[in-house]
Amino acid sequence: MATTLVTGGTRSGKSRHAEALVASASDVTYVATGRRDDGTDPDWAARLAAHRERRAPSWHVVETLDVVGVLAAPRGPVVVDCLGTWLTGLVDVAGAWADLAAAAALVEAAGEALCDALRRAGVDVVVVTNEVGLAPVPLTASGRFFQDELGRLNAAVAAACDRVHLVVAGRVLDLSDAPVVR
């Protein structure tokens, strides 16, 4: 069994690549961590629809932030899409955007639990995330928090995974054997 982190920028093709890594399996569990379509954001609804249309009809879709729970009892390969919306959802549910120190502690603990679950996974797992460190430093405290915490989370998850793929402009770079920053 292998765990793979797929990272890249917005619209780079990272989700399509992640889905292709498990495309030959019929018993995929697809963990959608993003917020549900509440009818107020047509662009978000279109993004969700595009993801739904690409998935095989046999795939089991779970919309949840409980990624660790899903990884505890998988039926087959698992795709988690994505860590950025997962992190945002965790902080949203905790109502912690006004207390970024508490939010950081929450994300760190949840990240450790996720990494432990990835190391114990008995099936192939592909985790999708945004590579946010290439963008300008945000002007708001919450924007900087998100960028910093997702960067830390990505590094921790990469360390827990067997493989790391970077998707840039629709091209995949395998970083699995690249040197690791200590």
Side-chain angles (χ1 to χ4, degrees):
M1 301 304 131
T3 52
T4 305
L5 178 68
V6 176
T7 187
T10 303
R11 302 288 193 199
S12 62
K14 60 191 177 295
S15 293
R16 290 189 314 273
H17 174 62
E19 293 160 3
L21 291 174
V22 298
S24 64
S26 61
D27 56 348
V28 173
T29 298
Y30 189 99
V31 183
T33 63
R35 67 179 169 87
R36 292 188 173 146
D37 176 19
D38 63 4
T40 63
D41 186 342
D43 178 61
W44 185 251
R47 287 172 184 255
L48 293 179
H51 277 255
R52 284 186 193 111
E53 289 170 13
R54 279 198 317 262
R55 294 182 207 136
S58 64
W59 289 10
H60 175 66
V61 178
V62 180
E63 295 178 352
T64 186
L65 295 175
D66 185 16
V67 177
V68 171
V70 173
L71 292 176
R75 303 185 299 190
V78 176
V79 174
V80 178
D81 197 355
C82 83
L83 291 184
T85 54
W86 180 71
L87 184 154
T88 301
L90 292 175
V91 178
D92 283 349
V93 168
W97 288 106
D99 183 354
L100 296 181
L106 168 72
V107 171
E108 181 179 6
E112 288 174 5
L114 174 61
C115 289
D116 288 342
L118 289 168
R119 288 183 191 100
R120 290 190 314 269
V123 297
D124 290 335
V125 180
V126 182
V127 180
V128 179
T129 192
N130 297 297
E131 190 56 49
V132 293
L134 302 175
V137 176
L139 296 176
T140 65
S142 59
R144 287 187 300 274
F145 165 84
F146 176 81
Q147 188 178 57
D148 292 347
E149 292 304 316
L150 187 56
R152 288 184 191 105
L153 178 63
N154 287 348
V157 170
C161 286
D162 302 311
R163 299 183 307 221
V164 178
H165 294 175
L166 172 63
V167 182
V168 179
R171 306 293 178 148
V172 180
L173 298 171
D174 188 341
L175 303 178
S176 304
D177 295 325
V180 176
V181 176
R182 299 285 174 219

